[in-house]
């Protein structure tokens, strides 16, 4: 590439970056993390999380036509980096992942409502956003991807990608792709750096743009939140607690009798007190079946729950699966993996009304009083958090598990545990 051509292309990039810095102060740290590489010929921007490659011809022709297109494309690409779209999903269907991430990125840009980012297609995209938000209450790239996978399976049309296309994803890593750019420690390092940058961008966004960018702000809050895997959380909750109980099988009467005869009231050994009992233990899982619950994760949630139970229980274990919206709809008793498999395969959500957590706890308390629940390890409530909480603490461990950023936890009582998970946190070890 001729030096003069490259120099002009670099000036176009610097001009666009300056405009972004001036209007979106929160982006400077993200753009500074990326190096820019000018290539010969055409080619929209493309990134692997470390560099952005863009064609000189694309820069010249697009800048002459409408420089806002380049500006919007770089902001769009920055959103991909902040949410680490370049190696976080789409292994089974990259085409759907590309569309889902582009729609998410474009919505984040549109929600900023800044004139220098407009392209004249805002109304068309807004109609798509409104339709999606009816079926995808969790407006994340992962949530959109899951919805599109269901649409494709049913043979239904998808939104046109040309409305949302800004950059090429050819450098993106794909799970299981041996030719992907990121490998092992390098990938982890890049991911951690972008996660740290996302936290700083969130702070700047809240300070410099408090009146706009709500979608990006909420998404960044969820993205930067420290998350614990559901499996790790449940293992801690089910940790075996040693019971103080005499164990006559381990008692040596010879030394005990000899001590009494030799020292009168002074036995040589004390009777052993500690014994781990393999008694029947019970866990209650309550599924919020209100209309706002993300039903697609129920099966994974239940399967993971029982898998942890099987790996940690020392004795017999009983799982009660209770469905509840504003009242208890069903109570299934699960005593084996076969029963759980049958339940999840034929799981039908009952209810769909409002959310009130109190009836489920009242029902569980009545089972305890009637002697139907013994050695209750705790109650796990899978919900979005939009409901009425009990005022009094429960006599057993209680945890509310919320799915990603859709949750609303401002009213969660202080005596209850809280865990916020996404699909990844439910299934990862």
């Amino acid at each position: 590439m001729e030096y003069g051509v490259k120099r002009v292309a670099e000036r176009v990039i610097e001009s666009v970056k300056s405009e972004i810095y001036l209007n979106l102060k929160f982006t400077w740290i993200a753009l500074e993390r990326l190096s820019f590489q000018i290539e010969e010929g055409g080619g929209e921007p493309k990134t692997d999380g470390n560099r952005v490659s863009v064609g000189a011809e694309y820069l010249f022709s697009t800048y002459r036509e409408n420089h806002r297109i380049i500006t919007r494309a770089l902001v769009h690409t920055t959103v991909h980096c902040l949410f680490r779209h370049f190696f976080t999903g789409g292994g089974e269907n990259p085409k759907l992942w590309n569309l889902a991430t582009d729609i998410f990125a474009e919505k984040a840009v549109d929600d900023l409502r800044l004139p220098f980012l407009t392209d004249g297609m805002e109304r068309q995209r807004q109609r798509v956003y409104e339709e999606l938000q009816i079926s995808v209450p969790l407006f994340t790239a992962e949530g959109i991807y899951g919805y599109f996978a269901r649409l494709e399976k049913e043979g239904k049309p998808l939104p046109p990608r040309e409305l949302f296309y800004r950059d090429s994803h050819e450098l993106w890593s794909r799970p299981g792709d041996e030719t992907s750019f990121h490998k092992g420690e390098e990938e982890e390092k890049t991911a951690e750096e972008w996660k740290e940058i996302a936290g700083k961008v969130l702070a700047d966004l809240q300070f410099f743009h408090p009146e706009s960018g709500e979608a990006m702000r909420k998404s960044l809050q969820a993205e930067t939140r420290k998350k614990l895997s559901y499996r790790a959380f449940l293992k801690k909750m089910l940790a075996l607690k040693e019971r103080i109980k005499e164990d006559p099988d381990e008692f040596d009467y010879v030394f005990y009798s000899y001590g009494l005869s030799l020292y009168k009231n002074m036995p040589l050994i004390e009777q052993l007190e500690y014994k781990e009992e393999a008694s029947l233990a019970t866990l209650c899982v309550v599924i919020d079946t209100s209309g706002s619950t993300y039903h697609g994760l129920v099966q994974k949630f239940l399967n993971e729950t029982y898998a942890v139970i099987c790996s940690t229980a020392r004795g017999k274990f009983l799982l009660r699966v209770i469905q509840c919206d504003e009242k208890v709809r069903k109570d299934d008793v699960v005593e084996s993996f076969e029963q759980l498999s049958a339940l999840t395969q034929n799981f039908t959500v009952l209810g769909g009304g409002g959310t009130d957590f109190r009836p489920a706890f009242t029902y569980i308390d009545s089972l305890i009083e009637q002697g139907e629940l013994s050695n209750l390890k705790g109650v796990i409530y899978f919900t979005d958090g939009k409901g009425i909480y009990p005022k009094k603490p429960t006599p057993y461990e209680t945890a509310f598990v919320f799915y990603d950023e859709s949750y609303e936890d401002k009213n969660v009582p202080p005596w209850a545990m809280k865990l916020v998970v996404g699909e990844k946190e439910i299934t990862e070890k």
Side-chain angles (χ1 to χ4, degrees):
M1 183 186 301
E2 295 181 6
Y3 174 78
V5 173
K6 184 178 179 181
R7 183 59 184 146
V8 172
E10 289 174 345
R11 286 183 177 178
V12 170
I13 289 292
E14 291 302 318
S15 174
V16 170
K17 286 174 63 177
S18 297
E19 185 176 26
I20 295 173
Y21 290 152
L22 182 64
N23 293 278
L24 293 173
K25 294 182 174 61
F26 66 87
T27 61
W28 74 270
I29 190 172
L31 286 173
E32 288 301 308
R33 170 62 179 78
L34 295 165
S35 62
F36 285 80
Q37 177 180 326
I38 309 299
E39 297 180 338
E40 290 189 27
E44 300 88 352
K46 53 188 175 184
T47 186
D48 56 18
N50 292 305
R51 71 181 190 275
V52 174
S53 299
V54 59
E57 185 177 322
Y58 164 83
L59 290 174
F60 296 152
S61 60
T62 307
Y63 195 83
R64 284 195 299 266
E65 177 188 349
N66 184 354
H67 75 278
R68 290 181 179 179
I69 296 176
I70 303 175
T71 306
R72 187 178 181 106
L74 289 187
V75 177
H76 174 108
T77 299
T78 303
V79 173
H80 284 320
C81 292
L82 290 173
F83 291 90
R84 306 187 298 284
H85 290 157
F86 37 79
F87 51 70
T88 58
E92 295 181 1
N93 196 327
K95 181 189 73 173
L96 294 187
W97 181 246
N98 288 336
L99 177 58
T101 54
D102 280 340
I103 289 176
F104 176 84
E106 283 298 281
K107 182 161 192 317
V109 177
D110 282 333
D111 281 356
L112 292 171
R113 301 192 298 274
L114 295 173
F116 85 104
L117 292 174
T118 57
D119 66 350
M121 295 191 291
E122 285 76 18
R123 289 187 178 180
Q124 296 97 308
R125 287 194 295 268
Q126 186 59 38
R127 285 195 290 268
V128 176
Y129 302 149
E130 291 172 356
E131 291 175 4
L132 281 176
Q133 287 178 314
I134 296 173
S135 302
V136 188
L138 308 170
F139 207 88
T140 62
E142 291 78 9
I144 299 169
Y145 173 80
Y147 175 62
F148 284 167
R150 294 193 294 274
L151 286 184
E152 187 172 67
K153 189 175 181 180
E154 297 168 1
K156 296 181 179 178
L158 301 173
R161 194 184 178 198
E162 56 267 21
L163 273 178
F164 308 94
Y165 181 79
R166 298 289 172 187
D167 57 357
S168 170
H169 300 172
E170 64 182 80
L171 295 180
W172 287 16
S173 170
R174 306 292 181 188
D177 179 7
E178 295 299 326
T179 64
S180 62
F181 177 83
H182 293 283
K183 301 292 182 183
E185 294 181 0
E186 180 186 359
E187 183 180 63
E188 292 180 7
K189 181 181 177 182
T190 302
E192 285 304 313
E193 287 179 358
W194 276 109
K195 188 171 184 178
E196 183 178 348
I197 290 172
K200 295 177 180 179
V201 166
L202 172 61
D204 287 347
L205 179 62
Q206 292 172 327
F207 181 79
F208 291 113
H209 298 272
E211 304 300 326
S212 62
E214 182 180 1
M216 188 184 295
R217 184 162 51 249
K218 286 185 176 181
S219 297
L220 283 172
Q221 286 172 342
E223 189 70 15
T224 56
R225 186 187 304 119
K226 184 179 180 181
K227 295 179 180 178
L228 178 69
S229 77
Y230 175 65
R231 180 177 295 188
F233 175 82
L234 188 55
K235 281 184 176 180
K236 288 183 179 181
M237 188 174 183
L238 298 178
L240 178 66
K241 295 180 180 178
E242 191 175 47
R243 289 188 172 192
I244 297 178
K245 184 177 177 67
E246 292 183 358
D247 188 1
D249 295 334
E250 298 294 329
F251 185 64
D252 192 329
Y253 287 95
V254 175
F255 280 101
Y256 187 81
S257 299
Y258 178 69
L260 289 177
S261 63
L262 186 63
Y263 299 108
K264 303 305 179 185
N265 293 326
M266 181 71 71
L268 286 179
I269 60 173
E270 290 290 340
Q271 188 164 341
L272 297 178
E273 291 183 323
Y274 296 99
K275 177 185 178 182
E276 290 184 354
E277 259 195 329
S279 58
L280 176 68
T282 305
L283 178 71
C284 285
V285 172
V286 185
I287 305 295
D288 175 6
T289 60
S290 67
S292 54
T293 304
Y294 192 64
H295 299 145
L297 287 176
V298 169
Q299 183 171 353
K300 290 181 180 179
F301 174 73
L302 291 176
N303 283 337
E304 191 64 21
T305 299
Y306 200 80
V308 173
I309 289 173
C310 291
S311 67
T312 58
R314 296 287 186 89
K316 212 175 171 186
F317 214 101
L318 185 69
L319 177 65
R320 303 287 288 253
V321 180
I322 300 169
Q323 295 190 51
C324 182
D325 47 16
E326 78 274 6
K327 64 181 180 180
V328 174
R329 301 290 182 175
K330 193 179 182 184
D331 179 11
D332 289 293
V333 180
V334 177
E335 298 180 274
S336 68
F337 191 79
E338 289 73 21
Q339 289 181 345
L340 179 67
S341 178
L343 173 64
T344 54
Q345 288 179 12
N346 303 293
F347 193 81
T348 303
V349 175
L350 304 175
T355 306
D356 188 339
F357 304 121
R358 297 171 299 178
F361 291 104
T362 301
Y363 175 72
I364 292 169
D365 291 340
S366 68
L367 292 178
I368 295 174
E369 292 175 5
Q370 296 165 16
E372 293 188 35
L373 280 182
S374 59
N375 192 19
L376 179 61
K377 299 289 286 186
V379 173
I380 296 180
Y381 214 124
F382 188 60
T383 178
D384 62 4
K386 301 172 185 176
I388 305 173
Y389 292 86
K391 293 183 178 180
K392 295 182 179 179
T394 57
Y396 37 80
E397 297 281 7
T398 298
F400 289 93
V401 177
F402 306 101
Y403 179 75
D404 228 15
E405 77 274 9
S406 69
Y407 82 107
E408 292 184 1
D409 68 346
K410 60 183 179 182
N411 295 319
V412 176
W415 47 264
M417 291 180 285
K418 178 185 73 173
L419 179 67
V420 181
V421 297
E423 187 168 1
K424 178 183 176 183
E425 286 74 34
I426 287 181
T427 55
E428 73 178 3
K429 296 182 180 180

